[in-house]
């Protein structure tokens, strides 16, 4: 699809081209609305889990609850995501997200928080998969990296504001108000998506068998390496937010939002350049992430001032931005017409590893008596994966 959103072949498209594109522009608007609500709600669920259990494991369990439903989307449901029309599917998923928040809003408790997190894990995996498929099919190839860059900037900026607002509202007024904001954002997103001008009708595609997304990834050498590196990154990706629940009360919003702030700054710059177009640069940036996690481990082991943790988390968030380039590479190399299932596989496995990873790392931290142990193990894992990826990706142009 081109039209009013097309760019000249000799021009380097930027964020202005993304906003002018008839499909990419509205998708960016939906992302800003829905994800602002998501992070307001997430902060409420995290604090609800922590307050109800009195342990870091309660907050980690909110992430972990999303794991199994999300992986089921990739294995059992993912084959259907490329079959139905895109726009109605996106609208129904947004409405499903609103429905998932009704119970914890009415009855805030650890059990309802975990149930909502599980449902939202499945819905979010399918929603992001279909959205990425729309981008791959209906947005010009040269606009895709700026789109993913801008989407990451918005994701991280609203994470900063959403987590700060959500945690503040929950501490001051309880979780209901924050969860209502999240519910309303899903309804508004559904209304915007109903008018999304997706390209000409697609030919009907057959459903692939369960697990086919993993096969598609494994058959492509570059995607295989990037998938492994992404999974290593996701194991510790939510450590900054999870560990923040154990910070001094006055520092919780700052520590919880600092990673997202660093990621937003990096994605804003990287999304406008060609740096992350090369997979080798993506692996190099992941190596910086591993190093930053090790520095964070030192800060936590030493019991340093929370401001130092804020600064380290900012670098961690910035380096995690290497995944913006990976998204564009997946969209470029994915088999035609199968981006929905492939992306569902990545999103679901990411959510699974994110949830299980933060639980395992939290258990390590509790056993060691310091949150620094979680950062240490996560940093070593990311550094090892980045080192293994550098050589095979050095030959990729």
């Amino acid at each position: 699809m081109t039209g009013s959103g097309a760019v000249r072949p000799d021009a380097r498209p930027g964020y202005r081209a993304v906003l002018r594109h008839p499909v990419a522009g509205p998708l960016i608007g939906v992302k800003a609305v829905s994800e602002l609500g998501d992070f307001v709600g997430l902060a409420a669920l995290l604090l609800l889990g922590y307050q109800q259990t009195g342990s870091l494991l309660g907050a980690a369990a909110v992430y972990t609850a999303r794991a199994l439903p999300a992986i089921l989307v990739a294995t059992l449901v993912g084959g259907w995501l490329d079959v139905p029309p895109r726009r109605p599917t996106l609208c129904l998923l947004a409405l499903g997200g609103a429905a998932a928040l009704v119970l914890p809003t009415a009855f805030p408790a650890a059990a309802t928080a975990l149930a909502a997190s599980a449902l939202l894990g499945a819905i979010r995996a399918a929603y992001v998969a279909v959205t990425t498929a729309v981008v791959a099919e209906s947005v010009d190839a040269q606009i895709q990296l700026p789109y993913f860059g801008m989407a990451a900037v918005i994701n991280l900026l609203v994470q900063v504001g959403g987590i700060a607002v959500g945690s503040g509202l929950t501490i001051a007024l309880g979780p209901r108000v924050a969860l209502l904001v999240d519910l309303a954002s899903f309804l508004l997103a559904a209304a915007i998506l109903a008018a999304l001008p997706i390209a000409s009708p697609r030919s009907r595609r057959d459903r692939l068998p369960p697990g086919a997304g993993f096969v598609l990834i494994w058959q492509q050498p570059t995607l295989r390496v990037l998938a492994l590196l992404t999974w290593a990154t996701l194991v510790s990706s939510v450590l900054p937010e999870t560990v923040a629940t154990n910070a001094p009360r006055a520092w919780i919003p700052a520590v919880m939002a600092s990673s997202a702030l660093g990621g937003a700054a990096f994605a804003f710059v990287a999304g406008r350049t060609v740096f992350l177009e090369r997979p080798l640069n993506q692996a190099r940036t992941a190596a910086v992430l591993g190093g930053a996690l090790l520095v964070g481990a030192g800060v936590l082991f030493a019991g340093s001032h929370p401001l130092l943790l804020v600064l380290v988390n900012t670098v961690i968030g910035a380096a995690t931005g290497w995944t913006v380039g990976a998204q564009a590479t997946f969209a470029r190399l994915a088999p035609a017409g199968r981006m929905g299932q492939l992306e569902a596989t990545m999103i679901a496995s990411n959510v699974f590893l994110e949830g299980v990873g933060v639980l395992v790392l939290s258990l390590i931290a509790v056993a060691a008596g310091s949150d620094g142990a979680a950062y240490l193990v996560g940093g070593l894992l990311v550094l090892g994966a980045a080192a293994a990826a550098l050589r095979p990706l050095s030959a990729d142009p």
Side-chain angles (χ1 to χ4, degrees), residues 47-396:
L47 287 171
L48 184 58
Y50 179 77
Q51 292 167 355
Q52 292 281 314
T53 62
S55 169
L56 184 66
L57 295 178
V62 171
Y63 282 113
T64 307
R66 301 184 300 172
L68 182 59
I71 205 68
L72 288 177
V73 168
T75 55
L76 301 182
V77 183
W80 291 101
L81 294 179
D82 289 314
V83 177
R86 302 296 193 197
R87 182 168 53 199
T89 302
L90 288 174
C91 290
L92 287 174
L93 289 170
L95 292 174
L101 289 163
V102 171
L103 191 59
T105 301
F107 307 102
T112 56
L114 293 178
S117 186
L119 290 172
L120 290 172
I123 291 168
R124 177 57 60 183
Y127 177 84
V128 174
V130 177
T131 300
T132 306
V134 170
V135 173
E137 296 166 358
S138 301
V139 175
D140 308 87
Q142 63 268 46
I143 293 180
Q144 289 176 6
L145 180 59
Y147 168 84
F148 288 120
M150 191 172 194
V153 170
I154 289 174
N155 172 274
L156 293 163
L157 284 178
V158 299
Q159 185 173 346
V160 173
I163 286 178
V165 170
S167 59
L169 284 174
T170 303
I171 291 171
L173 303 175
R176 279 197 177 93
V177 175
L179 293 173
L180 279 172
V181 170
D182 193 6
L183 191 155
S185 73
F186 273 114
L187 296 177
L188 181 56
I192 299 173
L193 288 167
L196 187 68
I198 295 178
S200 56
R202 305 177 306 120
S203 58
R204 182 176 176 84
R205 299 186 175 102
D206 295 331
R207 179 177 68 87
L208 291 179
F214 290 102
V215 176
L216 293 174
I217 292 170
W218 208 254
Q219 288 174 342
Q220 217 292 335
T222 298
L223 296 187
R224 180 170 65 245
V225 173
L226 289 179
L228 292 172
L229 185 54
T230 299
W231 293 333
T233 297
L234 266 292
V235 167
S236 55
S237 64
V238 295
L239 266 181
E241 291 79 16
T242 306
V243 169
T245 61
N246 211 20
R249 187 179 181 90
W251 282 91
I252 287 178
V255 176
M256 192 175 279
S258 55
S259 175
L261 184 61
F266 177 82
F268 179 79
V269 175
R272 296 168 58 89
T273 69
V274 299
F275 178 75
L276 287 181
E277 286 184 353
R278 190 178 183 194
L280 179 60
N281 289 336
Q282 299 167 24
R284 288 168 173 164
T285 308
V288 174
L289 168 63
L293 283 165
L294 295 184
V295 173
V299 169
L300 288 166
F301 278 127
S304 302
H305 194 280
L307 178 59
L308 289 179
L309 186 57
V310 169
L311 296 176
V312 171
N313 281 350
T314 301
V315 177
I316 289 172
T320 304
W322 78 266
T323 55
V324 171
Q327 283 185 296
T329 302
F330 268 76
R332 173 169 58 90
L333 298 180
R338 297 302 181 185
M339 189 62 203
Q341 181 160 22
L342 191 149
E343 183 69 6
T345 299
M346 286 304 300
I347 293 297
S349 57
N350 289 352
V351 171
F352 178 81
L353 289 171
E354 183 180 77
V356 173
V358 74
L359 182 61
V360 171
L361 293 178
S362 296
L363 288 170
I364 292 172
V366 171
S370 172
D371 294 341
Y375 273 60
L376 176 62
V377 174
L380 291 175
L381 177 63
V382 174
L383 274 179
L390 287 174
R391 184 173 181 179
L393 292 180
S394 62
D396 199 325

